[in-house]
Each structure stands twice: as C-alpha cells, then as structure tokens.
Amino acid sequence: MPRLLFISVFLLIAMSSHAQEPGTGDTSVFLKEILGTALDRNPDIMTARKNWEAAKARVVAVKAWPDPMISFSKEKVPAGEKMDHLRLEQEIPFPGKLSKEGEAKEYEARVAESRYKAKALSVLADVRAEYYRLYKADELARLFERNVETMQLLIRSLEARLATGGRMPAAGMGEGGGGMPGGGTGAASGGAGPDVLTMRAELGRMENMLFEQKQERTLAEAELNALLDQPVGTAWGKTVEPDSASIPVGLDELFSLAENNDPLYLA
C-alpha cells in the first residue's frame, strides 16, 4: 500500500473515532414509544384482542338463564265474553349444565387470552428487531458519511498539489546534488498519481456502502410502518441507542420460566 494511502486510511479511522456526531434536527424516535404504538395499532394484535374480548363475553352469556318468553292473546267465548291471556314462560336449565358450559367457555377465554399475549410478544419482538436494524443503519450511515467527506477532502488536497506541479520545498537543491533543478518533483508527481486513483477507488467503495445503508434504512422504515399500520411512505426521525441489559438467569431457569409462563405454551 502506498504510504500516502496508508496515512489517509489512518486519518479516516481517527476522525471516525473522535468526531462528534452532527445533530440532524429531526424528532428523535424512542423504542418505548414505538412499542406502545404497536400494542394499540398493530392489526394482528387488535384481532387477537378482539377475539379474547369476544371469548370473555361468551362466558357471561352462557352462564345466564335463557331469556324469558312472554305472550299475550285475546279469546272470545261462545257466550260472548272476551278473555285476555298473558303468559310468561321461563326455561330452567338442568342443574349443573350452565356451570359446566361456563367452565368450558372460561377455558376458551383463557386460551384466547394466551394467544393474544403470544401475538403481542411476537409483534413486539419484530418491532424491536426492526428498530435495532434502523438504528444500526443510522450509525453506519453517519460513519460512512464522515469517511466520504474526509476522503473527498484528501483527494481535493492531493489534486491541488498535483495541479501546481507537485512541488515540495527543495532543501539543498543547488548544493552537491549533481541533479536537475527540481529533480525531486518528478518522483513526487509520479508517486501521487497512483495514490489519487487508489483513493478514488476507495471513495467509490465508501459511497456504495453509504448507499446500501440508506437503502437498509428505507427497508426498515417500511417494515415498521407495516407493523404499526401506518402509510408506507411515513418517514422516521433519528433513532436513539436502545437500552441493553444482561439476562439475569441461566438457561435452565429460562426453560422453567418458559414452561410456566409462555403464553403460546399455555394456550
């Protein structure tokens, strides 16, 4: 690798490590807020919640006695007298029937509740994954943007040097050199030309990676919009680094917790 390219790469790494991230001015998007929106607006969660509510309503309905029947009629006897009849009927279920049917409906409601919770957990996991994907794309895009700007600055500086003949301070040029005036210029120019081409190739690679991260962000936005039932073209603001925490239990305890609490397992 030419020495100039090595110095350029070193500068890029240094600037990427220490430069402050510029503010975009966009509204920040927090993961906690998105999760709350998903619970309220995701179509799959809403459907599962409605099924659960309907199952709970059936529990109350099946435990109640059948509706009473009331009827009214008029009758005229041969003697000419009129008689009005008002009749009230009430079916009385066989003892224990309603309690058994209610118990069955309660189990159905519990299954519907577990399916609702399982669907909510699944959707929220998808939302988290897409938010992390969006955050990662933002971070990499900011990194590549700084690197592209730095590389462009280095290339312009080197091209300006070449345009002036690539002259360097000629210390001791007239003493004992035995060479041509400005003899160091040709070496400098000859080495700088290939460096510019190499740096331009590296710049193109960085610009391509920047484009890929912008496309990745667009895809993540589309997935989040679908999960939150928002218009496809809804734009998202700047993401914020999510909080991270270690798992406080071991694998065996996780298996036990899943067996006793996982909604889909319980269903």
Side-chain angles (χ1 to χ4, degrees):
M1 177 184 292
R3 184 174 62 179
L4 181 58
L5 180 60
F6 176 82
I7 295 174
S8 302
V9 173
F10 176 81
L11 288 174
L12 290 175
I13 297 175
M15 293 188 66
S16 300
S17 301
H18 299 289
Q20 293 183 350
E21 296 179 359
T24 61
D26 297 334
T27 303
S28 297
V29 180
F30 295 91
L31 177 59
K32 184 177 180 180
E33 297 175 356
I34 298 178
L35 294 176
T37 303
L39 285 174
D40 294 334
R41 301 185 58 175
N42 179 265
D44 293 335
I45 293 179
M46 293 175 64
T47 299
R49 186 187 300 124
K50 293 297 182 182
N51 291 337
W52 176 33
E53 293 173 354
K56 289 192 296 182
R58 286 193 291 271
V59 174
V60 177
V62 79
K63 286 185 176 181
W65 282 15
D67 294 335
M69 301 292 293
I70 185 170
S71 61
F72 176 77
S73 63
K74 292 184 177 182
E75 182 181 0
K76 185 176 181 180
V77 299
E81 297 180 0
K82 294 181 179 180
M83 298 180 63
D84 295 337
H85 299 277
L86 182 63
R87 184 175 182 178
L88 178 64
E89 297 180 359
Q90 173 66 62
E91 293 184 8
I92 301 178
F94 188 81
K97 178 181 178 182
L98 293 185
S99 61
K100 291 298 183 182
E101 291 181 352
E103 185 179 351
K105 293 300 179 182
E106 286 177 353
Y107 276 110
E108 291 180 6
R110 290 170 61 185
V111 170
E113 179 185 10
S114 295
R115 287 175 177 168
Y116 158 69
K117 292 180 178 179
K119 177 56 67 176
L121 291 174
S122 175
V123 170
L124 294 183
D126 291 340
V127 170
R128 284 189 179 90
E130 293 303 327
Y131 184 87
Y132 298 153
R133 180 183 177 190
L134 193 67
Y135 173 76
K136 178 183 177 183
D138 285 345
E139 291 298 300
L140 290 176
R142 280 191 284 267
L143 172 64
F144 293 142
E145 283 175 354
R146 291 197 299 269
N147 287 353
V148 166
E149 292 173 0
T150 304
M151 183 65 79
Q152 289 174 339
L153 179 62
L154 291 172
I155 290 175
R156 286 197 297 269
S157 176
L158 185 56
E159 287 178 339
R161 174 184 160 200
L162 292 175
T164 59
R167 296 185 179 277
M168 302 292 290
M173 181 178 63
E175 293 188 31
M180 298 174 59
T185 302
S189 300
D195 285 342
V196 173
L197 296 178
T198 304
M199 292 172 67
R200 283 198 172 278
E202 182 66 16
L203 174 61
R205 189 178 70 87
M206 292 180 182
E207 290 175 336
N208 184 63
M209 289 189 292
L210 174 59
F211 175 78
E212 289 177 353
Q213 293 308 315
K214 290 181 177 180
Q215 291 297 105
E216 183 72 7
R217 191 185 209 280
T218 300
L219 294 175
E221 286 181 341
E223 292 292 342
L224 281 173
N225 287 331
L227 289 169
L228 271 62
D229 196 26
Q230 297 184 151
V232 177
T234 301
W236 289 75
K238 182 177 65 175
T239 54
V240 180
E241 182 178 3
D243 296 331
S244 60
S246 59
I247 300 176
V249 297
L251 183 59
D252 292 338
E253 189 172 350
L254 281 177
F255 281 132
S256 177
L257 289 171
E259 183 176 353
N260 294 320
N261 299 283
D262 180 70
L264 195 58
Y265 180 86
L266 294 178

